[in-house]
């Protein structure tokens, strides 16, 4: 893996954070912010997958 370890941990923490925020906004039925958090979660999940899979 060519990516620095700190970057992988940072993106993993962001994925966890966006997941928690998404669940929180869904519980509060704030659908706009839940959708925004879900989009950011997806973006960071793809980045994490690329870092782990391809080492970019």
């Amino acid at each position: 893996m060519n990516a620095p370890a700190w970057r992988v941990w940072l993106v993993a923490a962001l994925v966890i954070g966006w997941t928690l925020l998404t669940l929180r906004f869904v519980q509060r039925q704030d659908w706009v912010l839940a959708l925004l958090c879900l989009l950011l979660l997806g973006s960071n999940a793809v980045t994490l997958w690329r870092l782990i899979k391809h080492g970019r």
Side-chain angles (χ1 to χ4, degrees):
M1 178 171 67
N2 295 333
W6 64 267
R7 186 168 180 209
V8 174
W9 283 105
L10 176 66
V11 176
L14 285 171
V15 168
I16 292 168
W18 289 124
T19 303
L20 294 174
L21 277 175
T22 301
L23 293 174
R24 178 69 174 162
F25 286 131
V26 166
Q27 286 177 348
R28 296 174 73 186
Q29 295 182 351
D30 194 350
W31 304 115
V32 175
L33 289 176
L35 181 62
L36 178 64
C37 289
L38 190 63
L39 290 173
L40 290 168
L41 167 66
S43 173
N44 282 299
V46 168
T47 301
L48 182 61
W49 178 75
R50 286 181 179 172
L51 285 173
I52 292 172
K53 183 75 174 175
H54 302 295
R56 291 182 188 168

